[in-house]
Structures are given as structure tokens and as C-alpha cells.
Coordinates of all heavy atoms in Angstrom, one line a residue:
F1 N -13.8 60.0 -15.7 CA -13.2 58.7 -16.0 C -11.9 58.9 -16.8 O -10.9 58.3 -16.4 CB -14.2 57.8 -16.8 CG -13.6 56.5 -17.2 CD1 -13.4 55.5 -16.4 CD2 -13.2 56.4 -18.6 CE1 -12.9 54.3 -16.8 CE2 -12.6 55.2 -19.0 CZ -12.5 54.1 -18.1
H2 N -12.0 59.7 -17.8 CA -10.8 59.9 -18.7 C -9.6 60.5 -17.9 O -8.5 60.2 -18.0 CB -11.1 60.7 -19.9 CG -10.0 61.0 -20.8 ND1 -9.2 60.0 -21.4 CD2 -9.5 62.1 -21.3 CE1 -8.3 60.5 -22.1 NE2 -8.4 61.8 -22.1
F3 N -10.0 61.5 -17.1 CA -9.0 62.2 -16.3 C -8.3 61.2 -15.3 O -7.1 61.2 -15.2 CB -9.6 63.3 -15.5 CG -8.7 63.9 -14.4 CD1 -7.5 64.6 -14.8 CD2 -8.9 63.7 -13.1 CE1 -6.7 65.1 -13.9 CE2 -8.1 64.2 -12.1 CZ -6.9 64.9 -12.5
S4 N -9.1 60.4 -14.5 CA -8.5 59.5 -13.5 C -7.6 58.5 -14.2 O -6.5 58.3 -13.7 CB -9.6 58.8 -12.8 OG -10.4 59.7 -12.1
R5 N -8.0 58.0 -15.3 CA -7.2 57.0 -16.0 C -5.9 57.6 -16.6 O -4.8 57.0 -16.4 CB -8.0 56.3 -17.1 CG -7.2 55.2 -17.8 CD -8.1 54.5 -18.9 NE -8.5 55.5 -19.9 CZ -9.3 55.2 -20.9 NH1 -9.8 53.9 -21.1 NH2 -9.7 56.1 -21.8
T6 N -6.0 58.8 -17.2 CA -4.9 59.4 -17.8 C -3.9 59.9 -16.7 O -2.7 59.7 -16.9 CB -5.3 60.6 -18.6 OG1 -6.3 60.2 -19.6 CG2 -4.1 61.3 -19.3
F7 N -4.4 60.5 -15.6 CA -3.5 61.0 -14.6 C -2.7 59.8 -14.0 O -1.5 59.9 -13.8 CB -4.4 61.6 -13.5 CG -3.6 62.3 -12.4 CD1 -3.5 63.7 -12.5 CD2 -3.1 61.7 -11.3 CE1 -2.8 64.4 -11.5 CE2 -2.4 62.4 -10.3 CZ -2.3 63.8 -10.4
N8 N -3.4 58.7 -13.7 CA -2.7 57.5 -13.1 C -1.7 57.0 -14.1 O -0.5 56.6 -13.7 CB -3.7 56.4 -12.8 CG -3.2 55.4 -11.9 OD1 -2.1 55.6 -11.3 ND2 -3.8 54.2 -11.8
T9 N -2.0 56.9 -15.4 CA -1.0 56.4 -16.4 C 0.2 57.3 -16.5 O 1.3 56.8 -16.5 CB -1.7 56.4 -17.8 OG1 -2.8 55.4 -17.7 CG2 -0.7 55.9 -18.8
I10 N 0.1 58.6 -16.5 CA 1.2 59.5 -16.7 C 2.0 59.7 -15.4 O 3.2 59.8 -15.4 CB 0.7 60.8 -17.3 CG1 0.2 60.6 -18.7 CG2 1.8 61.9 -17.2 CD1 -0.4 61.8 -19.4
L11 N 1.3 59.9 -14.3 CA 2.0 60.2 -13.0 C 2.3 59.0 -12.2 O 3.2 59.1 -11.3 CB 1.1 61.2 -12.2 CG 1.8 62.0 -11.2 CD1 3.0 62.8 -11.8 CD2 0.9 63.0 -10.6
G12 N 1.6 57.9 -12.4 CA 1.9 56.7 -11.5 C 1.2 56.7 -10.2 O 1.4 55.9 -9.4
H13 N 0.3 57.7 -10.0 CA -0.5 57.8 -8.8 C -2.0 58.1 -9.3 O -2.2 58.8 -10.3 CB -0.1 59.0 -7.9 CG 1.3 58.9 -7.4 ND1 1.5 58.2 -6.2 CD2 2.5 59.3 -7.8 CE1 2.8 58.3 -5.9 NE2 3.4 58.9 -6.9
S14 N -2.9 57.6 -8.6 CA -4.3 58.1 -8.8 C -4.4 59.5 -8.4 O -3.6 60.0 -7.5 CB -5.3 57.2 -8.0 OG -5.2 57.5 -6.6
P15 N -5.4 60.3 -8.9 CA -5.5 61.7 -8.4 C -5.7 61.8 -6.9 O -5.1 62.6 -6.3 CB -6.7 62.2 -9.2 CG -6.8 61.3 -10.4 CD -6.3 60.0 -10.0
Y16 N -6.5 60.9 -6.3 CA -6.7 60.9 -4.9 C -5.4 60.6 -4.1 O -5.1 61.3 -3.2 CB -7.7 59.9 -4.5 CG -8.0 59.8 -3.0 CD1 -8.8 60.7 -2.3 CD2 -7.4 58.7 -2.3 CE1 -9.0 60.6 -1.0 CE2 -7.6 58.6 -0.9 CZ -8.4 59.6 -0.3 OH -8.5 59.5 1.1
D17 N -4.6 59.6 -4.6 CA -3.4 59.3 -3.9 C -2.4 60.4 -4.0 O -1.7 60.8 -3.0 CB -2.8 58.0 -4.6 CG -1.5 57.6 -3.9 OD1 -1.5 57.4 -2.7 OD2 -0.5 57.4 -4.6
Y18 N -2.3 61.1 -5.2 CA -1.4 62.2 -5.3 C -1.8 63.4 -4.4 O -0.9 63.9 -3.7 CB -1.4 62.7 -6.8 CG -0.6 64.0 -7.0 CD1 0.8 63.9 -7.1 CD2 -1.2 65.2 -6.9 CE1 1.6 65.1 -7.2 CE2 -0.4 66.4 -7.1 CZ 0.9 66.3 -7.2 OH 1.7 67.4 -7.3
I19 N -3.1 63.7 -4.4 CA -3.5 64.8 -3.5 C -3.2 64.5 -2.0 O -2.7 65.4 -1.3 CB -5.0 65.1 -3.7 CG1 -5.2 65.7 -5.1 CG2 -5.5 66.1 -2.7 CD1 -6.7 65.8 -5.5
M20 N -3.5 63.3 -1.6 CA -3.2 62.9 -0.2 C -1.7 63.0 0.1 O -1.3 63.5 1.1 CB -3.7 61.5 0.0 CG -5.2 61.3 0.1 SD -5.9 62.0 1.6 CE -5.4 60.7 2.8
R21 N -0.9 62.5 -0.8 CA 0.6 62.5 -0.6 C 1.1 63.9 -0.6 O 2.0 64.2 0.2 CB 1.3 61.6 -1.6 CG 1.0 60.1 -1.4 CD 1.8 59.2 -2.3 NE 1.5 57.9 -2.0 CZ 2.2 57.2 -1.1 NH1 3.1 57.8 -0.4 NH2 1.8 55.9 -0.8
R22 N 0.6 64.8 -1.4 CA 1.1 66.1 -1.4 C 0.6 66.9 -0.2 O 1.4 67.6 0.5 CB 0.5 66.9 -2.7 CG 1.3 66.5 -3.9 CD 2.7 67.0 -3.9 NE 2.7 68.5 -3.7 CZ 3.4 69.1 -2.8 NH1 4.2 68.5 -1.9 NH2 3.4 70.4 -2.7
R23 N -0.6 66.7 0.3 CA -1.1 67.3 1.5 C -0.3 66.8 2.7 O 0.1 67.6 3.6 CB -2.6 67.0 1.7 CG -3.5 67.9 0.7 CD -4.9 67.5 0.8 NE -5.8 68.5 0.1 CZ -7.0 68.3 -0.2 NH1 -7.7 67.2 0.2 NH2 -7.7 69.3 -0.8
L24 N -0.1 65.5 2.8 CA 0.6 65.0 3.9 C 2.1 65.5 3.9 O 2.7 65.7 5.0 CB 0.6 63.4 3.9 CG -0.8 62.9 4.3 CD1 -0.8 61.4 3.9 CD2 -1.1 63.0 5.7
S25 N 2.7 65.6 2.7 CA 4.1 66.1 2.6 C 4.2 67.5 3.2 O 5.1 67.8 4.0 CB 4.5 66.0 1.2 OG 4.6 64.7 0.7
E26 N 3.2 68.4 2.8 CA 3.2 69.7 3.2 C 2.9 69.8 4.7 O 3.4 70.6 5.5 CB 2.3 70.6 2.4 CG 2.7 70.7 0.9 CD 4.1 71.3 0.8 OE1 4.5 72.3 1.4 OE2 4.9 70.7 0.0
A27 N 2.0 69.0 5.2 CA 1.6 68.9 6.6 C 2.9 68.5 7.4 O 3.1 69.1 8.5 CB 0.5 67.9 6.8
A28 N 3.6 67.5 6.9 CA 4.8 67.1 7.7 C 5.8 68.3 7.8 O 6.5 68.4 8.8 CB 5.4 65.9 7.0
K29 N 6.0 69.0 6.7 CA 6.9 70.2 6.7 C 6.4 71.2 7.7 O 7.3 71.8 8.4 CB 7.0 70.8 5.3 CG 7.7 69.9 4.3 CD 7.7 70.4 2.9 CE 8.2 69.5 1.9 NZ 8.1 70.0 0.5
N30 N 5.1 71.4 7.8 CA 4.6 72.3 8.8 C 4.9 71.8 10.2 O 5.3 72.6 11.1 CB 3.1 72.4 8.7 CG 2.6 73.4 7.7 OD1 1.5 73.9 7.7 ND2 3.4 73.7 6.7
L31 N 4.8 70.5 10.5 CA 5.1 70.0 11.8 C 6.6 70.1 12.1 O 7.0 70.3 13.3 CB 4.7 68.5 11.9 CG 3.2 68.2 11.7 CD1 3.0 66.7 11.8 CD2 2.4 69.0 12.8
L32 N 7.4 70.0 11.1 CA 8.9 70.1 11.3 C 9.3 71.5 11.5 O 10.2 71.8 12.3 CB 9.6 69.5 10.1 CG 9.6 68.0 9.9 CD1 10.1 67.7 8.5 CD2 10.6 67.4 10.9
H33 N 8.7 72.5 10.8 CA 9.3 73.8 10.8 C 8.5 74.9 11.3 O 8.9 76.1 11.3 CB 9.7 74.1 9.3 CG 10.6 73.1 8.6 ND1 11.8 72.8 9.1 CD2 10.4 72.3 7.6 CE1 12.4 71.9 8.4 NE2 11.5 71.6 7.4
T34 N 7.3 74.6 11.8 CA 6.5 75.6 12.5 C 6.0 75.1 13.8 O 6.2 74.0 14.2 CB 5.2 76.0 11.6 OG1 4.2 75.0 11.7 CG2 5.6 76.2 10.1
D35 N 5.3 76.0 14.5 CA 4.7 75.6 15.8 C 3.2 75.5 15.8 O 2.5 75.6 16.8 CB 5.2 76.6 16.9 CG 6.7 76.6 17.2 OD1 7.2 75.4 17.3 OD2 7.3 77.6 17.4
E36 N 2.7 75.4 14.6 CA 1.2 75.3 14.4 C 0.8 74.0 15.2 O 1.5 73.0 15.1 CB 0.8 75.1 13.0 CG 1.0 76.4 12.1 CD 0.5 76.1 10.7 OE1 -0.7 76.0 10.5 OE2 1.3 76.0 9.8
K37 N -0.4 74.1 15.8 CA -0.9 72.9 16.5 C -1.2 71.8 15.5 O -1.6 72.1 14.4 CB -2.2 73.2 17.3 CG -2.0 74.2 18.4 CD -3.3 74.5 19.1 CE -3.1 75.5 20.3 NZ -4.4 75.8 21.0
I38 N -1.0 70.5 15.9 CA -1.3 69.4 15.0 C -2.7 69.4 14.5 O -2.9 69.2 13.3 CB -0.9 68.1 15.7 CG1 0.6 68.0 16.0 CG2 -1.3 66.9 14.9 CD1 1.0 66.8 16.8
I39 N -3.7 69.7 15.3 CA -5.0 69.7 14.9 C -5.3 70.8 13.8 O -6.0 70.6 12.8 CB -6.0 69.9 16.1 CG1 -7.5 69.9 15.6 CG2 -5.7 71.2 16.8 CD1 -7.9 68.6 14.9
D40 N -4.6 71.9 14.0 CA -4.7 73.0 13.0 C -4.1 72.7 11.7 O -4.6 73.0 10.6 CB -4.1 74.3 13.6 CG -4.9 74.9 14.7 OD1 -6.1 74.6 14.8 OD2 -4.3 75.6 15.5
V41 N -2.9 71.9 11.7 CA -2.3 71.5 10.5 C -3.2 70.5 9.8 O -3.4 70.5 8.6 CB -0.9 70.8 10.8 CG1 -0.3 70.2 9.6 CG2 0.0 71.9 11.4
A42 N -3.8 69.6 10.6 CA -4.7 68.6 10.0 C -5.9 69.2 9.3 O -6.2 68.9 8.1 CB -5.2 67.6 11.1
L43 N -6.5 70.2 10.0 CA -7.7 70.9 9.4 C -7.3 71.7 8.1 O -8.0 71.8 7.2 CB -8.3 71.8 10.4 CG -9.0 71.1 11.6 CD1 -9.4 72.1 12.6 CD2 -10.2 70.3 11.1
K44 N -6.1 72.3 8.2 CA -5.6 73.1 7.1 C -5.5 72.3 5.8 O -5.8 72.8 4.7 CB -4.2 73.7 7.5 CG -3.5 74.5 6.4 CD -2.1 75.0 6.9 CE -1.4 75.7 5.8 NZ 0.0 76.2 6.3

């Protein structure tokens, strides 16, 4: 509870939202700059 509230206060994102946005950002870079299959990027 303390972590979730503090993380959101300081970063402006919930921990879940931050992790999702970081994973999607890196996944998008993989799609742009590699030939990995989309399903493999998703699973990664």
C-alpha cells in the first residue's frame, strides 16, 4: 500500500501503469528496429 501510493505521488504513474508503459515503449522500439516476430515481442 505504501509503495503504490508513494510511487504514484512521486512519479505521476501507478506502478502498474509505469511498468506497462515502459514495456510497451521497449516493445515498440523492437518493432521499429528489429525483425523479431510481433508475437515474440509480445511474449518477451
Side-chain angles (χ1 to χ4, degrees):
F1 174 77
H2 180 53
F3 169 68
S4 297
R5 183 176 61 180
T6 305
F7 191 97
N8 195 16
T9 298
I10 289 177
L11 200 56
H13 297 270
S14 71
Y16 176 80
D17 183 53
Y18 174 81
I19 292 171
M20 288 285 287
R21 288 183 177 278
R22 283 292 301 128
R23 284 176 169 167
L24 289 166
S25 295
E26 294 305 310
K29 293 174 187 177
N30 277 202
L31 297 180
L32 286 165
H33 304 302
T34 77
D35 292 319
E36 290 182 74
K37 293 180 180 179
I38 293 176
I39 181 61
D40 291 337
V41 172
L43 292 172
K44 176 180 178 180

